[in-house]
Amino acid sequence: MTDDVAIDQKALLEPFPYHKKLRDHLKSRKKTWQWFKDEKIKAQQVESFKKNLLKNTYRLDLDSHANLYRVSDAICKDLNIDAQVTFYQENNSLQVNASISIIEREAHIVFSGNVLQLLDDKQLKALIAHELSHYLFFKIEDGDYEVTQRIVLALANDSRSEDSIIETARIFQLYLELFCDTGAFKSCKEHYTVIQMLIKLNTGLADVNAQSYLDQAKEIISQEDESTNQQTHPESYLRSIALDLKARNSKDYEEELHKLIEGKWDINSLDIFEQEETRALTSDFIQLILRPQWINSNAVMNLAQQFFPDFNRSEKIDTSSLSRKLKHTTPSTKSYLCYLLLDFARIDSALEKLPLAHTLEVSELLELKEDYERILRKELKLTIRDFKKLKEEAMNDLSRVTENPDSSIYDNE
């Protein structure tokens, strides 16, 4: 619920690269972008929102809660925003939390549970700064990121949308929470306070140790190589790690956050950008398989064109670059690629064992050999001994094929 309010660009927080990338992508769809940008909040919508807010909360006025308003004024100065802040306490809520609703220049912050009793003054400032960073995010760059969020959430909430859109919206929201944590850090000047605030909201404990939790968080990520699976807010231990990286001004900050939020390339959870990258990578993979002239039979080419109707053999593929990309993949993605190899190995029986040997060489080159051999044995229903014999026969056949050096799968030949 916002309008387009310009904010001075000096000393503002930077949206994450993912936010900018999605903004640019959606902005390129000019008609959709303009429609959402021009959409205005109707007076009756505002009236209904405020009526429901007053029904379900107790408004904390300036006279009785002057300290809250002094804190919010200081934060607005820290973040260089012009928000008109009003605070509320939610009725009959046990969950310890806070939320913000934004209407034009108004920022309505609602506390839930015993937040005001649980947090000390510094931690309360961190919480309010986090919420007001949502306001900042919506207002910078002429409200572009608020428009971006409305578009991607509208698409994700459409039952006809592909999973890639839902995943895109999820990642956008996760990075938004890290942006707001950074705003809290900027306002509080030190990250331990923000971490303490996060721990208290999640545990309800009155006494917590930020460094101890950071040590715990680092122990967690050292033992597992997985990204967050949350929908809107990353796990507190990941948010704490992100804050620590920011506080230490880590040169690998964005790379590390990518691991924590987006994770490895997973064929089962692609966003819209990874979906396009997967198409390109699959095309390169097939190009590599089809490098030798002898494998380009009608059956093989027909299979390639089932993946890409306009498929044509191209110049030599950079196998080193392809191999580097495949290092950052999940087991399910490796299985997808191995079954791709299997499809091309079996599509043309007239080629006999040659495609099998060739795809084994490709798998070894791209460090997929162990996965591919396991899938081959399973799908061909072979014992270890029988598979070894088949592989030896296939490799012997391949060694007798005279191949043009320009058609080699190896970069340096």
Side-chain angles (χ1 to χ4, degrees), residues 152-358:
V152 74
L153 291 182
L155 292 172
N157 289 327
D158 188 326
S159 60
R160 297 166 295 180
S161 289
E162 297 180 357
D163 289 345
S164 60
I165 292 290
I166 297 170
E167 180 67 8
T168 303
R170 186 183 80 92
I171 295 173
F172 183 92
Q173 292 295 103
L174 293 169
Y175 274 121
L176 174 53
E177 292 305 317
L178 297 189
F179 172 91
C180 294
D181 285 346
T182 306
F185 168 50
K186 176 179 173 62
S187 185
C188 292
K189 307 293 190 294
E190 59 94 14
H191 64 306
Y192 277 180
T193 295
V194 185
I195 294 173
Q196 288 171 332
M197 177 269 291
L198 293 174
I199 302 168
K200 284 190 173 185
L201 291 187
N202 279 277
T203 65
L205 295 173
D207 187 20
V208 297
N209 185 302
Q211 184 57 57
S212 176
Y213 188 68
L214 260 178
D215 293 341
Q216 180 179 334
K218 291 174 182 177
E219 184 178 343
I220 294 170
I221 65 171
S222 71
Q223 294 176 356
E224 60 180 45
D225 188 19
E226 296 180 2
S227 58
T228 178
N229 59 9
Q230 298 299 299
Q231 296 302 309
T232 59
H233 292 63
E235 294 88 342
S236 290
Y237 72 88
L238 294 181
R239 293 168 71 177
S240 299
I241 292 290
L243 282 163
D244 189 55
L245 289 168
K246 185 69 175 178
R248 292 189 288 104
N249 199 26
S250 171
K251 62 181 178 63
D252 300 321
Y253 178 63
E254 289 183 0
E255 181 182 343
E256 290 299 319
L257 290 196
H258 183 280
K259 293 178 185 177
L260 298 177
I261 301 301
E262 298 176 64
K264 293 182 176 181
W265 175 38
D266 188 344
I267 197 73
N268 294 322
S269 59
L270 302 174
D271 68 3
I272 59 172
F273 305 116
E274 290 171 328
Q275 192 174 54
E276 190 56 39
E277 290 168 6
T278 299
R279 283 178 55 82
L281 197 65
T282 301
S283 177
D284 286 348
F285 202 72
I286 294 174
Q287 290 285 0
L288 182 62
I289 296 170
L290 270 57
R291 286 311 300 158
Q293 290 288 349
W294 60 260
I295 201 174
N296 285 245
S297 68
N298 288 336
V300 170
M301 291 303 295
N302 285 338
L303 177 58
Q305 288 167 357
Q306 287 179 36
F307 286 91
F308 302 99
D310 57 350
F311 183 87
N312 286 299
R313 289 178 76 250
S314 65
E315 297 299 319
K316 196 166 183 177
I317 296 300
D318 182 355
T319 55
S320 296
S321 174
L322 187 56
S323 184
R324 284 194 299 272
K325 290 177 183 177
L326 299 186
K327 287 182 183 295
H328 303 287
T329 60
T330 62
S332 61
T333 305
K334 290 178 180 178
S335 291
Y336 159 73
L337 295 171
C338 289
Y339 275 101
L340 196 61
L341 287 172
L342 181 61
D343 286 343
F344 281 93
R346 301 181 71 183
I347 191 62
D348 191 348
S349 59
L351 293 173
E352 299 182 338
K353 299 184 181 73
L354 292 178
L356 175 64
H358 171 59

Side-chain angles (χ1 to χ4, degrees), residues 16-237:
F16 284 101
Y18 194 90
H19 294 138
K20 296 178 181 180
K21 188 176 182 180
L22 184 58
R23 184 271 312 270
D24 293 344
H25 172 77
L26 294 177
K27 210 169 186 178
S28 68
R29 301 182 176 187
K30 295 182 179 179
K31 288 186 178 179
T32 300
W33 181 269
Q34 201 58 48
W35 189 90
F36 275 89
K37 189 173 180 65
D38 291 343
E39 187 184 31
K40 299 298 180 183
I41 306 168
K42 296 179 176 61
Q44 60 266 34
Q45 289 178 304
V46 175
E47 183 180 348
S48 175
F49 164 77
K50 290 186 175 180
K51 183 177 179 181
N52 287 330
L53 183 63
L54 293 175
K55 279 183 176 180
N56 295 292
T57 65
Y58 171 74
R59 185 165 56 204
L60 308 173
D61 59 35
L62 178 60
D63 290 339
S64 58
H65 293 82
N67 64 311
L68 289 177
Y69 290 90
R70 282 194 296 271
V71 169
S72 64
D73 287 345
I75 294 168
C76 287
K77 185 176 180 180
D78 292 337
L79 300 180
N80 195 24
I81 56 179
D82 60 352
Q84 299 171 9
V85 184
T86 306
F87 293 101
Y88 305 82
Q89 175 65 45
E90 187 176 11
N91 298 336
N92 303 317
S93 173
L94 297 177
Q95 184 180 11
V96 183
N97 208 345
S99 62
I100 186 170
S101 297
I102 302 165
I103 306 174
E104 299 178 351
R105 288 182 174 83
E106 300 175 11
H108 300 271
I109 297 177
V110 179
F111 298 117
S112 304
N114 66 331
V115 169
L116 296 178
Q117 293 75 42
L118 186 63
L119 303 183
D120 66 22
D121 290 345
K122 288 183 178 181
Q123 295 154 9
L124 187 58
K125 182 179 182 180
L127 177 60
I128 296 171
H130 174 96
E131 298 305 324
L132 286 174
S133 293
H134 281 279
Y135 181 97
L136 171 63
F137 186 78
F138 277 10
K139 301 300 183 180
I140 53 178
E141 298 189 35
D142 196 29
D144 274 4
Y145 295 104
E146 187 271 337
V147 177
T148 301
Q149 186 186 51
R150 277 195 291 120
I151 294 174
V152 74
L153 291 182
L155 292 172
N157 289 327
D158 188 326
S159 60
R160 297 166 295 180
S161 289
E162 297 180 357
D163 289 345
S164 60
I165 292 290
I166 297 170
E167 180 67 8
T168 303
R170 186 183 80 92
I171 295 173
F172 183 92
Q173 292 295 103
L174 293 169
Y175 274 121
L176 174 53
E177 292 305 317
L178 297 189
F179 172 91
C180 294
D181 285 346
T182 306
F185 168 50
K186 176 179 173 62
S187 185
C188 292
K189 307 293 190 294
E190 59 94 14
H191 64 306
Y192 277 180
T193 295
V194 185
I195 294 173
Q196 288 171 332
M197 177 269 291
L198 293 174
I199 302 168
K200 284 190 173 185
L201 291 187
N202 279 277
T203 65
L205 295 173
D207 187 20
V208 297
N209 185 302
Q211 184 57 57
S212 176
Y213 188 68
L214 260 178
D215 293 341
Q216 180 179 334
K218 291 174 182 177
E219 184 178 343
I220 294 170
I221 65 171
S222 71
Q223 294 176 356
E224 60 180 45
D225 188 19
E226 296 180 2
S227 58
T228 178
N229 59 9
Q230 298 299 299
Q231 296 302 309
T232 59
H233 292 63
E235 294 88 342
S236 290
Y237 72 88

